[in-house]
């Protein structure tokens, strides 16, 4: 039997598509207001990435010795980063699970479920016993919770982007899609705002002993707020329109809107080229992001003797700069197209990668902060239009799965393994320049993939 239930539409129409006002009315005008939906998407992605950033920072600081004690600090750090990568390996399962829910049952249901799963897993990490208390059970439980976090992340980004983009007014799709894309950097800043004061209050020894649990447990409050906000917004108007069309067609005997029983299978068989190129388009930025906000926070202090606060401050200032330009860049992408800005960001990242990480060898806080600020600014130039771009590459009936799969695969291979690869590379070559060559090479892959893909700004988003 074919993996799709009905014959899909043939091709994509050009144009901006219908505005939300032309679609079936939502249950509540307030709950479908584009700005409110975008804010709800941003809150969710911020919380999700706060949870992920907390784990990444804790991995860099204390989780290695607490759960994987070893006489060799490098081995402990590698083990902690391996659990960080494990969550990326389970993300494709989240794409299958939440992509199927999102494409068949609705974007909002998938997003509420993914946020709840992430919150439960993150609070669970904060309650875990360490190796000293529970022995081998401690790392086993840690890996299990990390896998659940990964499943959650597999469904979060694509759903948040789609909910915002499919509510967007005409001509502002990139702008609204980019709002939840601010979440990763905002989540990191929020995690730093919790971790830095905690470190200053209790010291590194106190943080390693017990206070590392505080950021994990605080996520419970954020998740409750996020669930409330998400439960108050309406379903995507494009999804409601497709559902209504399918119901009407079924009762009248006319052809129904295409629906896939297994969206990922249909995606791989019908759109393999766009899936691979979309993944490649996002892989370089993923590497830059995770090398900067995860790996360098461990590498700088442990290998180069740079103060921990210097590294956290540099990454935080860079993330704030990226946030500041994300929405203006996305607005520009609605006017000039997605590809020109992504190509400029990818090319700039290729050139800047070596100087950016080379700044670590100076140990100078000002130079490192400046280099990170430029680097994460170029990342924002590349990633601001990416949310709309990946969503526009795929038809509406496969969009949740398609956008999620491309982004999550890029995150897995470009970001999830970046700290692990960097740890190994620096065990072979002690210079921080290898980080620049590694991330610059992946940004070059993104440059080529974006060049090979078509412009999508004028595509009809309703098909």
């Amino acid at each position: 039997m074919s993996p799709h239930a009905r014959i899909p539409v043939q091709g994509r129409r050009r144009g901006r598509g219908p505005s939300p006002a032309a679609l079936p009315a939502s249950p509540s005008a307030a709950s479908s207001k584009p700005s409110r939906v975008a804010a709800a998407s941003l809150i969710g992605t911020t919380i999700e990435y706060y949870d992920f950033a907390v784990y990444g920072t804790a991995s860099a600081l204390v989780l290695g010795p607490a759960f994987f004690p070893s006489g060799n600090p490098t081995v402990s750090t590698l083990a902690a980063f391996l659990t960080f990568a494990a969550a990326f390996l389970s993300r494709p399962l989240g794409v299958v699970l939440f992509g199927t829910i999102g494409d068949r049952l609705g974007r909002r249901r998938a997003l509420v479920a993914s946020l709840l799963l992430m919150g439960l897993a993150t609070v669970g990490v904060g309650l875990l016993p360490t190796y000293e208390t529970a022995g081998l059970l401690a790392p086993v439980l840690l890996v299990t919770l990390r896998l659940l976090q990964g499943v959650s992340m597999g469904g979060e980004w694509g759903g948040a982007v789609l909910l915002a983009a499919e509510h967007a007014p005409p001509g502002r799709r990139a702008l609204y899609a980019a709002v939840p894309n601010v979440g990763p950097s905002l989540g990191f800043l929020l995690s730093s705002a919790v971790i830095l004061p905690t470190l200053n209050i209790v010291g590194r020894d106190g943080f390693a002993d017990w206070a590392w649990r505080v950021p994990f447990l605080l996520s419970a409050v954020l998740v409750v707020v996020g669930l409330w906000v998400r439960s108050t917004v309406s379903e995507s108007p494009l999804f409601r329109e497709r559902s209504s069309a399918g119901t009407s067609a079924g009762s009248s005997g006319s052809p129904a809107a295409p629906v896939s029983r297994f969206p990922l299978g249909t995606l791989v068989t019908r759109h393999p080229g766009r899936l691979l190129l979309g993944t490649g388009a996002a892989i370089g930025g993923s590497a830059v992001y995770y090398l900067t906000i995860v790996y360098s926070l461990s590498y700088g202090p442990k290998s180069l003797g740079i103060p921990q606060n210097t590294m956290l401050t540099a990454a935080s200032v860079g993330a704030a700069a990226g946030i500041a330009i994300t929405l203006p860049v996305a607005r520009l992408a609605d006017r000039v197209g997605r590809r020109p800005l992504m190509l400029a960001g990818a090319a700039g990242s290729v050139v800047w990668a070596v100087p950016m990480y080379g700044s670590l060898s100076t140990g100078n806080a000002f130079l490192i902060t400046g280099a990170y600020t430029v680097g994460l600014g170029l990342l924002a130039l590349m990633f601001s239009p990416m949310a709309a771009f990946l969503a526009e590459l795929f038809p509406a009936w496969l969009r949740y799965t398609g956008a999620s799969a491309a982004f999550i695969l890029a995150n897995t291979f470009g970001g999830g393994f970046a700290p692990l690869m960097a740890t190994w590379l620096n065990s072979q070559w002690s210079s921080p320049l290898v980080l620049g060559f590694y991330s610059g090479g992946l940004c070059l892959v993104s440059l080529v993939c974006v060049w090979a893909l078509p412009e999508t700004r004028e595509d009809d988003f309703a098909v």
Side-chain angles (χ1 to χ4, degrees):
M1 179 179 290
S2 171
H4 50 88
R6 297 191 174 54
I7 299 175
V9 291
Q10 303 296 318
R12 304 285 299 277
R13 298 193 303 272
R14 307 293 286 181
R16 298 292 175 86
S19 68
L23 300 172
S26 66
S28 166
S31 67
S32 63
K33 189 176 180 181
S35 58
R36 179 172 178 175
V37 174
S41 297
L42 172 61
I43 289 172
T45 53
T46 299
I47 294 171
E48 294 265 12
Y49 277 90
Y50 164 83
D51 292 345
F52 232 68
V54 163
Y55 186 88
T57 305
S59 294
L61 297 179
V62 300
L63 291 187
F67 288 89
F68 306 96
S70 168
N72 187 332
T74 300
V75 172
S76 294
T77 301
L78 272 171
F81 281 143
L82 188 59
T83 63
F84 183 80
F88 287 82
L89 292 177
S90 63
R91 283 186 177 194
L93 179 59
V95 172
V96 175
L97 174 62
F98 294 110
T100 301
I101 294 172
D103 281 327
R104 290 181 60 86
L105 302 178
R107 312 335 191 181
R108 192 170 71 94
R109 290 185 184 182
L111 284 173
V112 170
S114 71
L115 182 59
L116 180 60
L117 179 60
M118 172 61 83
L120 292 174
T122 304
V123 172
V125 172
L127 296 173
L128 283 180
T130 62
Y131 185 92
E132 183 180 5
T133 303
L136 287 175
L137 180 61
V140 169
L141 291 174
L142 178 63
V143 171
T144 300
L145 291 173
R146 286 295 295 156
L147 291 173
L148 291 177
Q149 283 184 317
V151 171
S152 168
M153 288 293 288
E156 171 59 31
W157 183 87
V161 165
L162 291 191
L163 196 65
E166 292 180 346
H167 277 88
R172 295 194 174 186
R173 197 158 60 223
L175 176 63
Y176 278 79
V179 172
N181 224 24
V182 172
S185 293
L186 199 56
F188 170 70
L189 286 178
L190 188 58
S191 73
S192 297
V194 174
I195 290 172
L196 274 173
T198 305
L199 273 170
N200 290 332
I201 293 171
V202 304
R204 191 178 180 92
D205 290 339
F207 191 84
D209 185 35
W210 63 272
W212 63 268
R213 301 177 184 275
V214 172
F216 291 100
L217 297 177
L218 283 178
S219 70
V221 178
L222 301 175
V223 169
V224 169
V225 174
L227 286 172
W228 174 76
V229 172
R230 279 196 170 169
S231 65
T232 62
V233 300
S234 66
E235 180 55 84
S236 157
L238 295 185
F239 183 85
R240 292 199 314 272
E241 181 190 35
R242 288 182 54 249
S243 299
S244 299
T247 302
S248 300
S251 61
S252 65
S254 60
V259 177
S260 174
R261 294 192 180 96
F262 182 45
L264 183 61
T266 307
L267 176 72
V268 170
T269 56
R270 297 210 169 191
H271 304 280
R274 289 199 168 193
L275 175 60
L276 289 174
L277 289 173
T279 299
I283 199 169
S286 297
V288 171
Y289 180 81
Y290 285 102
L291 283 177
T292 303
I293 71 149
V294 176
Y295 177 73
S296 70
L297 300 185
S298 170
Y299 173 68
K302 292 182 179 179
S303 299
L304 302 176
I306 301 171
Q308 190 73 61
N309 283 0
T310 296
M311 295 305 306
L312 279 171
T313 300
S316 298
V317 171
I323 290 172
I325 70 170
T326 291
L327 297 186
V329 169
R331 189 69 187 101
L332 185 60
D334 278 322
R335 294 171 180 166
V336 304
R338 294 36 166 149
R339 291 178 73 252
L341 299 176
M342 290 190 296
L343 288 171
S349 295
V350 171
V351 173
W352 189 248
V354 171
M356 176 180 176
Y357 295 109
S359 69
L360 295 175
S361 62
T362 70
N364 184 289
F366 179 78
L367 290 178
I368 295 170
T369 301
Y372 273 29
T373 300
V374 174
L376 292 178
L378 289 169
L379 174 63
L381 186 62
M382 182 169 30
F383 259 32
S384 294
M386 187 70 69
F389 185 68
L390 292 181
E392 291 161 349
L393 286 177
F394 304 100
W397 61 293
L398 292 174
R399 187 169 293 140
Y400 198 123
T401 301
S404 296
F407 187 77
I408 292 307
L409 287 173
N411 257 228
T412 299
F413 294 110
F417 290 100
L420 201 61
M421 282 296 298
T423 301
W424 180 80
L425 286 171
N426 278 126
S427 72
Q428 306 299 312
W429 299 278
S430 58
S431 171
L433 293 177
V434 298
L435 304 180
F437 290 119
Y438 175 67
S439 62
L442 290 180
C443 287
L444 182 60
V445 171
S446 291
L447 179 66
V448 173
C449 290
V450 173
W451 184 268
L453 285 165
E455 178 58 61
T456 59
R457 179 171 68 103
E458 296 293 340
D459 284 5
D460 187 346
F461 208 48
V463 299

